[in-house]
Amino acid sequence: MSGSSALDPSTVIGVIGAGAMGSGIATVALKAGHRVLLHDTAPAAIERAITSIRQDFDRQVDKQRMSAQERDACSSRIEAASMIEMLAPCGLVIEAIVENLEVKTAVLKRIEAIVETGTIIASNTSSLSITAIAARLSRPESVVGMHFFNPAQILPLVEVIHGKMTAPEVAKTIFDTASAWKKVPVYCTSTPGFIVNRVARPFYGEALRLLSERTADPATLDAILRESGGFRMGPFELMDMIGHDVNYAVTCSVFEAFYQDPRFKPSLLQKDLVDAGWLGRKAGRGFYDYNTDAVRPQATTASPENSPVEVVIEGDLGCARPLVDIARRAGLSVSQTNGSGGIRIDGVLVALTDGRNATERSTQSGETVILFDLALDYESCVRVALAAPDQVNKNELAAATGFFQSLGKAVSFIDDAPGMVVMRTVAMLANEAAEAVHQDVASQSDIDLAMQKGVNYPLGPLAWADRIGTQTVCKVLQHIADFYGEDRYRVSPLLRRKASAAGNFSASL
Ligand code: NAI
């Protein structure tokens, strides 16, 4: 299929559900030039939504993002549909009501009886099966998922979900329409969590696991993932913002939907927060305290140590190779020799994590090895996490700390966890992304795009795996799996295949 099949702006759009998502979706369709009919069982919700949509347009005019003429045109195109029958002229109806299969299908059955045969019925569901919704209707081929992200008027991603019976031309029309609405659409199949809510699970899951094993406190783990990993927010502050009730419910639903696959196992730590009513920002308390007099805890940061004068690079540093030039520019004397990959500083070996913890690695190599974590960009990152073996001494710690401090990085020591923080998180995100490709949920490029546009990741997980090296990612996961002896860390067959062929994901895009 080629050429755009986007719905013409003359097509009337029906939006059912005038809550947070319905209002945002209506705003997007109005700005694209459509007439929008907004329906909700609560008339007050419709009025509230229309008022707030119009106020939003006013603010856009104030900020000179919209002309007054455009505002007037958009504002005049929205109409309240107090009765569902008023949606009869719609060419596309987008449902954004309560997340309940029975309620959704009951409403959509009524819609089917009201609209023309060619009308597309889209659901904004974030967790229900599009196939299951469609199967209960009489024209399942016209049913498709159109999953916006909150706030829909701002976040660009739209997951276009085709159920088993969705006609390809219906999915394409929705894909092209989302593009015409200045959104970034991606295709995916009707599988639990679709792309984003599935692939993002390890970002929360591994952080919760590290916390439950007392690897570091939330402020330190957040700082490492932000300041070293390049994520816009750390997992704990992000979960606090999303709300633990919502985040925990999504994890539980994905876990159950995958027949309790341990990769998605929910955390007791998070359940405890939900039980306590510490739901995050909205409750004034989550991992952090949001009361006005609360003092925000700071990341644990090592005290200043002397800078080493010279360092020896032993072998290849892999994706940490940029450290060689950074060290030279910092005025250190840097020489290179053969070796297994590491930086010799005042006699102690400092190496990038390969998934084994520092104690295991030191024992195996017969000398102290202090580990450093993955960074998105060693040049610009301002923090690096280190982990030391149980048998480390004070001078060895000082040497490793002083080296990274001399490069302008804050140092956070964490407990000796396998895979550390950024490497473990990114390896697990890439593994989940690879598994989703392997199971034909979506294409490699769409998954990477979805994670960047839907949850603001600094790089798509598969592009990130390529940058680290698929063999390294595979090795990291294998070592973590060996350490825990858990199926949770099993390597995706696709990642393993790429690694065996020393290949990468982008080569086959
Ligand atoms: P909301 O609670 O803000 O709004 C839902 C609206 O639907 C309410 O105004 C309610 O009166 C109305 N409603 C309930 N039953 C109805 C019925 N039978 N007929 C007509 N209207 C009815 O909910 P929200 O957050 O806007 O979510 C709506 C849908 O979007 C859900 O399926 C949710 O899973 C999905 N979603 C939510 C996201 C979020 O972050 N809030 C993100 C992406 C999808």
Side-chain angles (χ1 to χ4, degrees), residues 16-22 39-42 45 95-99 103-104 107 124-126 147-150:
I16 314 182
M21 294 308 292
H39 172 70
D40 198 292
T41 38
E95 163 284 304
I97 65 169
V98 59
E99 188 74 345
V103 180
K104 279 192 197 290
V107 170
N124 183 51
T125 178
S126 40
H147 185 215
F148 289 81
F149 287 72
N150 191 13

Side-chain angles (χ1 to χ4, degrees), residues 382-399:
V382 295
R383 183 176 297 274
V384 172
L386 300 184
D390 294 346
Q391 59 268 39
V392 75
N393 70 42
K394 220 170 71 206
N395 293 342
E396 291 167 334
L397 285 176

Side-chain angles (χ1 to χ4, degrees), residues 90-425:
C90 295
L92 165 65
V93 174
I94 306 170
E95 163 284 304
I97 65 169
V98 59
E99 188 74 345
N100 176 303
L101 182 64
E102 306 304 323
V103 180
K104 279 192 197 290
T105 45
V107 170
L108 294 180
K109 269 184 186 163
R110 287 187 67 195
I111 283 294
E112 262 196 325
I114 293 164
V115 295
E116 302 275 336
T117 319
T119 294
I120 296 177
I121 296 182
S123 173
N124 183 51
T125 178
S126 40
S127 66
L128 301 174
S129 157
I130 295 300
T131 300
I133 294 175
R136 293 165 181 228
L137 303 189
S138 51
R139 294 194 295 274
E141 66 282 1
S142 307
V143 179
V144 64
M146 191 175 193
H147 185 215
F148 289 81
F149 287 72
N150 191 13
Q153 60 275 42
I154 294 173
L155 287 182
L157 186 68
V158 175
E159 292 177 332
V160 178
I161 302 131
H162 39 99
K164 195 141 196 71
M165 294 90 102
T166 307
E169 58 275 18
V170 166
K172 183 170 188 316
T173 297
I174 292 305
F175 186 96
D176 291 346
T177 301
S179 288
W181 291 1
K182 299 196 174 69
K183 293 291 174 187
V184 177
V186 291
Y187 280 118
C188 69
T189 54
S190 179
T191 47
F194 310 132
I195 299 175
V196 170
N197 277 336
R198 168 188 185 159
V199 176
R201 299 272 49 88
F203 187 67
Y204 314 109
E206 290 313 303
L208 288 161
R209 179 94 190 227
L210 287 165
L211 180 65
S212 68
E213 295 179 4
R214 298 186 297 164
T215 307
D217 55 72
T220 305
L221 292 167
D222 273 349
I224 293 168
L225 280 155
R226 249 189 353 252
E227 297 172 15
S228 208
F231 290 92
R232 196 163 292 181
M233 290 178 85
F236 298 101
E237 52 198 356
L238 183 54
M239 284 183 275
D240 270 3
M241 194 179 86
I242 293 167
H244 291 284
D245 48 345
V246 174
N247 190 265
Y248 179 68
V250 175
T251 303
C252 289
S253 121
V254 172
F255 177 62
E256 291 303 331
F258 279 105
Y259 305 109
Q260 307 192 343
D261 189 319
R263 289 206 315 272
F264 305 109
K265 193 169 170 182
S267 163
L268 286 174
L269 274 189
Q270 194 173 31
K271 178 178 184 298
D272 208 36
L273 286 180
V274 175
D275 288 347
W278 290 19
L279 302 181
R281 276 186 196 208
K282 62 187 174 191
R285 182 113 215 201
F287 284 110
Y288 298 103
D289 187 345
Y290 296 91
N291 290 305
T292 40
D293 53 348
V295 180
R296 185 69 179 247
Q298 297 297 305
T300 306
T301 302
S303 309
E305 297 289 351
N306 292 332
S307 166
V309 178
E310 59 177 39
V311 296
V312 182
I313 308 298
E314 297 186 352
D316 185 9
L317 298 185
C319 65
R321 228 169 279 132
L323 285 172
V324 179
D325 278 346
I326 301 170
R328 286 206 173 103
R329 272 186 274 117
L332 273 62
S333 157
V334 181
S335 55
Q336 288 182 282
T337 182
N338 293 336
S340 58
I343 310 167
R344 179 78 55 186
I345 309 162
D346 292 343
V348 62
L349 191 66
V350 178
L352 176 65
T353 173
D354 68 357
R356 284 174 294 173
N357 67 12
T359 304
E360 183 183 350
R361 198 150 155 186
S362 300
T363 306
Q364 286 172 0
S365 64
E367 65 168 332
T368 298
V369 184
I370 294 180
L371 300 179
F372 64 91
D373 203 355
L374 176 71
L376 172 68
D377 175 6
Y378 286 99
E379 191 81 54
S380 60
C381 75
V382 295
R383 183 176 297 274
V384 172
L386 300 184
D390 294 346
Q391 59 268 39
V392 75
N393 70 42
K394 220 170 71 206
N395 293 342
E396 291 167 334
L397 285 176
T401 307
F403 169 70
F404 283 102
Q405 288 174 339
S406 71
L407 311 186
K409 319 293 181 197
V411 169
S412 286
F413 271 97
I414 59 162
D415 195 36
D416 192 17
M420 301 192 67
V421 181
V422 183
M423 182 67 98
R424 175 161 159 171
T425 304

